[in-house]
Amino acid sequence: MNPNEGPPLSILHINQLAAHIRRTLIPHLDLSDLRVPVDGNPASLSRGLAALGVQALTGFDAATAAACVIDGFDDNGIDAVAIDDNHDRIFLVQAKWHAEGRKNVDQAEALKLTSGARDLFAGRYDRFNQRLRALQPRIEAALNNPRVKITLAIVTTGSDQLAEVVRRPLDNLCDEVNDAGELVDVNVLGLKAIHDFVVNGTSGRGVDLDVHLTGWGSIHTPYEAFYGVATAVQVAGWYEDHGERLFDGNLRDALGQTPVNDALFATLWNEPEHFWYFNNGITVLAEEVHRAARDSQTREYGKFQIVGATVVNGAQTAASVRSILRKDPDLLSEAKIWIRIISLDGCPEGFAARVTRATNTQNGVDARDFIALDPRQERIRAQFRLQFDKVYGVRRGSDNVTGDDGCDVEEAAVALACANADPAFAVDAKRQVSLLWTASDDATYQTLFPNDLNVVYLWNSVLVLRAVERKLADLRSELDGRDGAVAVHGNRLIAHMVLSQLDDRDLNDPEAERREAFASVPELTRTVCLLLAVQVQKSNSGVFLGSLFKNHVKCRELVECTLESFTGSPVQLPLVRVAAPRSTSSSRPAKPDGARKADAVKVIQNAGLLSDGAQLIFKAVTQREKSVLLPWIAQDPRRGRAMWSNHGWEALVWEADGQRYAASRLVMHMMREAGFPNPPSGVRGPMRWMVPDHGTLNEIADKLISGE
């Protein structure tokens, strides 16, 4: 280095971080276990970096952030645990300090972090040090919150880009838990983001994006803005590359599973070609917008460099397309998204905040508003009044109906879902109650609210549901640890099993309440809850309960085993519907041959047709696949074989490396490994994996759906 030149900018930034940590955080940290003096011990800076990461992620003050640090002997791969009650979020932080920024988290450290996370999910606190055990009551309370989401956060003085071997165990944990919705995510804060936080008081000024728009246009007064259509693959890539740094800090609550996300996901899954028509699009604020004149000579196609970009509206859209990208990227090939980019260059102070607030507070129309128009609901309301002189609330905005006054449609839907013989409906009620009424012509809604629904059965089911909830509230304070958590997360499944043991004659008797026909429900609830906790410990001891009780396949198994233990004889549950994404339109036109009708993997798993370990063989479909992949497979035949798993959407275990993959993701991985020239943005994996003598996964699923 030239002696007249200063040190590289990254080292200057790291030195600035070190000075900031020593000045503001180290005075609050517990460093009593460090033998080497603080100034000469990088462990103190690593702990300070963990606390700084907590500040950037939560906004905590220095003392509160420092109290979250548990780094030390027996930390089980986790350097800090931050519980943000205001946003229903738990952050599990791992910090990596390197004085020159050259080293990042390695595979072993990522594996330790995921192992520690699994131990937390399982309540194995004895595997952690005293610092974490001191946080146990708060951690348990947070994990028992049905709305909680968990972020695996890596804070490093290196790059925010992790090597694939490092990212894999983190992604595997996310995929394992997120089978029932986005409950766990990964956020990497590299040197740039953490330095920006220290300088600007935020975890970043936004991200830089290259945006490609078709049919683009522009507005230049009073402020400059551009608009057009982007591919869903492109938007998913933004989220994949930048994580939650892509979004305005006020929007973190918009991510994860919501009624809106369920509808977005269903459209992308079932009819991606219609996504542009059904979606409001994405609004991006940018510090600067530069149009590449050479690549934007016509309105048909435009290329833009976006500096300091932040998505302020459309976080749910971005989260949904990214979720699809990870599960089955070929589904995004037809989806388009409306994009609006507003340049803040020249805008008055406070304009960005006004845009963010305005685009996120406009009144929306809930599916419940449409259900209120269904004549069946009006009929139920009238019969409630005539039969019981009680109120049945349907419309939003009216006073909540509780207690002896009656009930509303939401409580009724949950009760009817739990009372159905198929536990899939109770699982839907746990996942998101709006799944029970996506539309008046939806099969689930029609099953729960048939034209001949007996309001006596409905009201008695509500009474039983309330009795179950009251008893579970008592059990939550009585039971410790994971057993108590089962009473929280398993409430809908417990209600389903209790209702399944009651006499239908009582449920249909208008005098049942008066003659105390349901007096046995509290003790029955206690028995079922304890038996369910035993089954959870036996077969799912390390599984995050927030995810477990939203998983159709696992919940079905738990119900069968629990009821068999209760009754002493095998239980055969009916399958009223296949637990797969449903079309949002009953009049949807037929797709071309080869298009996907439903999630083939889920259809096969739910039917139980293939046993765990069944062998699958790769089938090349295109000429390029035959010329590139087949010779590559011939070099090592294990590359062309996988084993089937009935657990989770990563249903294939590749024989070449023993890792789990989704069918499409495995094909894409094989293409990358084989050096496939110009690989496609996505492939239909179930068309390319076949079971000997049975056909491809798509063909097997089609036969199951058609009843062959």
Side-chain angles (χ1 to χ4, degrees):
M1 182 174 69
N2 188 317
N4 295 321
E5 294 179 354
L9 186 60
S10 60
I11 296 181
L12 281 176
H13 286 175
I14 292 171
N15 290 338
Q16 291 168 357
L17 287 183
H20 176 82
I21 289 170
R22 291 191 180 101
R23 184 174 62 254
T24 66
L25 289 164
I26 282 182
H28 300 286
L29 288 168
D30 180 0
L31 305 174
S32 59
D33 58 321
L34 300 183
R35 297 180 181 178
V36 179
V38 169
D39 287 342
N41 194 335
S44 63
L45 291 174
S46 182
R47 290 184 188 177
L49 183 62
L52 187 58
V54 169
Q55 284 191 289
L57 292 162
T58 64
F60 290 173
D61 61 36
T64 304
C68 298
V69 176
I70 67 163
D71 175 63
F73 188 70
D74 279 344
D75 61 26
N76 207 352
I78 300 174
D79 295 329
V81 178
I83 301 168
D84 187 351
D85 293 321
N86 291 332
H87 296 95
D88 298 319
R89 178 81 67 162
I90 302 173
F91 295 93
L92 306 181
V93 180
Q94 186 177 86
K96 183 71 173 183
W97 178 274
H98 189 265
E100 297 178 1
R102 292 199 311 263
K103 291 184 179 180
N104 211 330
V105 172
D106 58 27
Q107 184 183 38
E109 290 166 323
L111 287 168
K112 287 181 181 178
L113 174 59
T114 56
S115 175
R118 288 188 174 91
D119 284 339
L120 269 191
F121 298 162
R124 293 190 280 258
Y125 296 99
D126 59 307
R127 299 187 179 184
F128 291 90
N129 58 26
Q130 185 56 42
R131 286 174 175 151
L132 183 131
R133 288 201 291 271
L135 299 173
Q136 180 177 340
R138 289 200 65 210
I139 293 172
E140 286 185 339
L143 288 174
N144 286 345
N145 177 359
R147 298 182 301 277
V148 78
K149 295 179 175 59
I150 299 165
T151 294
L152 305 178
I154 291 177
V155 188
T156 173
T157 55
S159 168
D160 61 2
Q161 299 299 309
L162 302 179
E164 184 175 351
V165 294
V166 177
R167 188 85 193 195
R168 179 185 291 278
L170 302 172
D171 288 343
N172 284 347
L173 178 60
C174 291
D175 295 341
E176 172 187 316
V177 175
N178 292 342
D179 181 66
E182 296 290 329
L183 300 177
V184 177
D185 61 18
V186 176
N187 194 354
V188 182
L189 296 180
L191 175 61
K192 183 179 182 304
I194 205 70
H195 186 267
D196 280 347
F197 169 73
V198 170
V199 173
N200 302 318
T202 120
S203 56
R205 60 172 176 79
V207 301
D208 297 339
L209 301 172
D210 287 332
V211 179
H212 304 266
L213 299 177
T214 58
W216 68 275
S218 60
I219 297 173
H220 298 287
T221 56
Y223 315 118
E224 188 174 57
F226 297 88
Y227 55 87
V229 177
T231 65
V233 171
Q234 181 182 179
V235 174
W238 299 348
Y239 194 174
E240 192 76 4
D241 292 341
H242 301 288
E244 291 192 27
R245 289 182 57 214
L246 183 64
F247 307 112
D248 180 88
N250 294 327
L251 297 183
R252 72 174 76 181
D253 289 334
L255 305 180
Q257 189 171 22
T258 69
V260 174
N261 273 357
D262 292 329
L264 292 173
F265 193 92
T267 301
L268 284 165
W269 196 272
N270 291 295
E271 41 190 345
E273 71 279 8
H274 293 159
F275 189 72
W276 184 89
Y277 300 94
F278 297 164
N279 181 254
N280 290 331
I282 289 175
T283 299
V284 179
L285 296 184
E287 294 178 7
E288 302 173 22
V289 181
H290 303 287
R291 179 171 64 89
R294 188 187 67 178
D295 298 317
S296 311
Q297 296 182 8
T298 71
R299 297 285 175 163
E300 284 298 311
Y301 176 83
K303 181 179 179 182
F304 302 85
Q305 285 84 42
I306 313 299
V307 178
T310 302
V311 171
V312 296
N313 183 257
Q316 294 174 332
T317 297
S320 295
V321 295
R322 184 256 200 161
S323 181
I324 291 287
L325 179 74
R326 294 167 66 88
K327 286 178 167 62
D328 204 343
D330 63 296
L331 291 175
L332 296 184
S333 60
E334 300 176 72
K336 304 290 190 293
I337 298 174
W338 177 257
I339 305 292
R340 187 171 59 147
I341 305 166
I342 300 173
S343 174
L344 297 177
D345 188 17
C347 292
E349 184 177 352
F351 185 74
R354 291 180 62 193
V355 172
T356 302
R357 185 167 55 251
T359 55
N360 285 282
T361 56
Q362 296 169 4
N363 290 331
V365 180
D366 190 270
R368 180 169 166 178
D369 297 321
F370 294 110
I371 295 304
L373 303 176
D374 181 13
R376 276 173 286 197
Q377 295 299 328
E378 179 59 28
R379 186 163 56 249
I380 294 170
R381 188 193 66 78
Q383 291 176 352
F384 241 64
R385 177 68 69 187
L386 290 172
Q387 180 76 47
F388 300 110
D389 192 25
K390 295 185 184 298
V391 178
Y392 180 71
V394 180
R395 299 182 183 277
R396 283 196 305 163
S398 58
D399 293 338
N400 290 333
V401 185
T402 58
D404 196 51
D405 291 338
C407 68
D408 63 15
V409 64
E410 182 170 325
E411 188 178 22
V414 172
L416 292 171
C418 292
N420 194 281
D422 186 345
F425 294 97
V427 176
D428 278 347
K430 187 65 181 178
R431 288 169 68 105
Q432 193 69 52
V433 70
S434 63
L435 290 173
L436 306 178
W437 57 47
T438 56
S440 60
D441 59 355
D442 176 72
T444 296
Y445 174 77
Q446 291 182 342
T447 299
L448 298 181
F449 292 96
N451 286 320
D452 59 351
L453 176 64
N454 182 354
V455 295
V456 173
Y457 178 84
L458 188 159
W459 176 242
N460 284 337
S461 297
V462 168
L463 292 176
V464 173
L465 178 69
R466 291 176 178 178
V468 170
E469 286 293 349
R470 286 193 296 270
K471 185 60 180 178
L472 288 178
D474 294 338
L475 289 172
R476 287 162 196 156
S477 59
E478 176 185 331
L479 300 175
D480 294 325
R482 206 158 158 85
D483 288 353
V486 168
V488 175
H489 294 287
N491 61 335
R492 301 303 183 218
L493 214 60
I494 292 168
H496 163 76
M497 288 187 281
V498 168
L499 280 158
S500 74
Q501 299 306 302
L502 300 179
D503 194 321
D504 275 349
R505 291 172 295 183
D506 290 333
L507 289 171
N508 286 283
D509 182 1
E511 297 297 314
E513 183 178 12
R514 183 189 61 79
R515 61 184 181 84
E516 299 182 346
F518 308 125
S520 63
V521 166
E523 188 57 34
L524 181 57
T525 299
R526 177 186 182 86
T527 301
V528 169
C529 180
L530 295 177
L531 290 174
L532 177 61
V534 170
Q535 293 301 325
V536 168
Q537 181 61 29
K538 185 181 298 184
S539 58
N540 295 277
S541 60
V543 178
F544 178 41
L545 296 184
S547 172
L548 174 63
F549 288 108
K550 297 176 183 178
N551 183 299
H552 288 95
V553 174
K554 291 180 179 178
C555 283
R556 191 176 185 84
E557 294 171 352
L558 285 171
V559 170
E560 289 175 341
C561 293
T562 302
L563 290 182
E564 180 176 342
S565 177
F566 178 75
T567 63
S569 58
V571 174
Q572 185 67 40
L573 297 173
L575 185 64
V576 177
R577 69 164 179 80
V578 174
R582 300 181 297 277
S583 171
T584 57
S585 171
S586 60
S587 58
R588 174 184 169 192
K591 286 191 172 185
D593 290 343
R596 183 164 174 169
K597 300 181 182 68
D599 180 359
V601 167
K602 281 294 184 188
V603 170
I604 297 169
Q605 287 178 331
N606 287 329
L609 183 66
L610 300 180
S611 59
D612 286 330
Q615 189 177 72
L616 292 89
I617 305 297
F618 175 74
K619 175 185 177 183
V621 174
T622 68
Q623 188 56 48
R624 282 208 304 158
E625 291 171 7
K626 293 174 183 176
S627 61
V628 177
L629 291 182
L630 293 186
W632 177 74
I633 290 172
Q635 296 172 8
D636 183 352
R638 295 178 304 167
R639 295 169 173 169
R641 298 194 295 262
M643 292 184 295
W644 176 260
S645 170
N646 282 303
H647 306 284
W649 61 268
E650 280 191 324
L652 275 65
V653 179
W654 195 28
E655 194 171 320
D657 64 5
Q659 299 293 323
R660 293 178 57 140
Y661 296 85
S664 299
R665 190 173 175 185
L666 177 52
V667 176
M668 294 298 295
H669 178 70
M670 291 166 61
M671 287 179 171
R672 289 192 296 270
E673 292 290 304
F676 201 90
N678 299 316
S681 60
V683 296
R684 289 186 172 89
M687 294 175 60
R688 289 164 169 82
W689 289 100
M690 60 181 296
V691 180
D693 301 324
H694 289 277
T696 67
L697 296 178
N698 259 0
E699 291 168 345
I700 295 170
D702 286 344
K703 291 177 182 177
L704 287 170
I705 292 172
S706 64
E708 294 180 23

